[in-house]
Structures are given as structure tokens and as C-alpha cells.
Amino acid sequence: MNDPRIGRILVGADELQARIAALGKEITADYADDPPLLVAVLKGAFMFMADLAKAIDLPVEVDFMAVSSYGAATRSSGVVRIVKDLDLDLGGRHVLIVEDIIDSGLTLQYLRKNLLARSPASVEVCALLVKDGLQKVDPALKYEGFRIPPDFVVGYGLDAAERYRNLPFIAEFLPDAV
Ligand code: IMP
Ligand code: MG
């Protein structure tokens, strides 16, 4: 895509796939006795969920939930609203939240609390990206893909005003470029 607002590539497509394969292996080993229920947070995590699920060699189940915290702005409000809830019951299940990116960590804090209230056996988190030094709360991630600088990024599921989700890599977003 020849778009001046797409800046430096921070994580290339091959690098993404290699790391996701490794995460899949780790998860496969850790959950061998109890296949997890993968819960992805829409929309940002849709692509990561698809690739991660394929990299896990266990009979997992998947479910989706949508929360809204940003609107079209690029800063976290800390206010999270469930736009689409899960279809499956979490009672007694080992839940693995699949998140695209941890910025302030507020969205994840809310989600974890919300899911823990549904009597799961466990709730852990696999986040593809973690922004360096920005977390207001300890995100306590069991699995983490990449640490990136605290810039706004797009691609591989992540958007700026709903665009760029289909880029196969993670790039800096330059809002002021013409
Ligand atoms: P947090 O609550 O501040 O951790 O924000 C988490 C959510 O904000 C993520 O799940 C994303 O949907 C969105 N978000 C945070 N940083 C970025 C970014 O750099 N690009 C696109 N979306 C982002
Ligand atoms: Mg998200």
C-alpha cells in the first residue's frame, strides 16, 4: 500500500509468523492436558487469533468478544464497553485471552476482571504487542509477542479509524503525513 501515513515497519510479516509459531508451541506444551478456550478481543486481534490458533496443536475452542475503548481517537480513555459478549460459558474452562496490543493496560484489566467473574478454571493472556513503559497497571502477561516503542502502530489487525487492519506487518502510523 503506497500510503504516506504508513511509516517504518516495526515487525515484518516473516518475523510475525516466526514468533507466532513459537508462541503456539509454548501454548501447546503448557496446555497439553487442558486445551484452552481462546478468547480474542475484536476487532484488533482477529488476525493474530487466526494465525495463533493454527499454530496451536491442541483441540482448542475459540470465542470472540468486542469491546470499545477508543472510538476513533488514538488515546486510551480507560472506559471500556462490551459491544459483543462471548457465546460460550467460561465455567471451569482454562481461558486464554488473545489480545492485539497492550498500551495502558486498562482494557485488559477490565477484561480480566470481567472474565474472572464467570468462574473459569484460569484466565491467562497472550498479547502480540506490548508498548514499552506505558502500562498504568501490571498487565501480568503469560505470553508476549513483541515489545515495541510507545508509538501508534497499525497493521495485522490494528487500525487507525478502521483502516490498515489488512496490512500483513506492523508499521508506525504517521497521522500528520500528507
Ligand atoms: P489500552 O487499554 O490502553 O491497553 O489499549 C488497548 C487497546 O487500544 C488495544 O486492544 C487496541 O485495540 C487499541 N490500541 C492501543 N494502542 C494502539 C495502537 O498503537 N494502534 C492501534 N490500536 C491501538
Ligand atoms: Mg484491541
Side-chain angles (χ1 to χ4, degrees), residues 11-150:
V11 189
D14 293 345
E15 215 182 332
L16 277 171
Q17 294 309 321
R19 184 73 189 111
I20 292 167
L23 288 171
K25 282 213 177 84
E26 262 189 72
I27 292 167
T28 301
D30 293 349
Y31 287 89
D33 299 327
D34 272 307
L37 168 59
L38 305 178
V39 169
V41 185
L42 295 172
K43 300 175 192 172
F46 84 99
M47 223 176 254
F48 181 38
M49 173 69 136
D51 286 338
L52 183 68
K54 285 182 280 183
I56 300 172
D57 189 15
L58 295 173
V60 298
E61 289 172 57
V62 302
D63 204 351
F64 297 88
M65 140 174 220
V67 301
S68 127
S69 59
Y70 267 41
T74 56
R75 239 189 275 148
S76 190
S77 60
V79 179
V80 178
R81 190 166 58 93
I82 295 184
V83 179
K84 179 220 174 291
D85 206 347
L86 299 171
D87 296 326
L88 302 178
D89 187 359
L90 301 191
R93 302 299 311 270
H94 290 283
V95 174
L96 183 58
I97 300 177
V98 177
E99 251 291 33
D100 51 358
I101 188 165
I102 310 298
D103 185 356
S104 68
L106 292 171
T107 304
L108 184 62
Q109 174 180 249
Y110 170 86
L111 270 176
R112 200 195 292 266
K113 214 187 209 169
N114 187 287
L115 300 190
L116 278 170
R118 308 182 194 196
S119 311
S122 66
V123 175
E124 299 290 355
V125 181
C126 178
L128 180 63
L129 305 169
V130 181
K131 287 196 191 178
D132 258 333
L134 282 189
Q135 290 75 48
K136 292 178 182 144
V137 288
D138 178 8
L141 308 172
K142 182 157 184 170
Y143 308 96
E144 170 179 317
F146 300 89
R147 295 222 151 225
I148 59 168

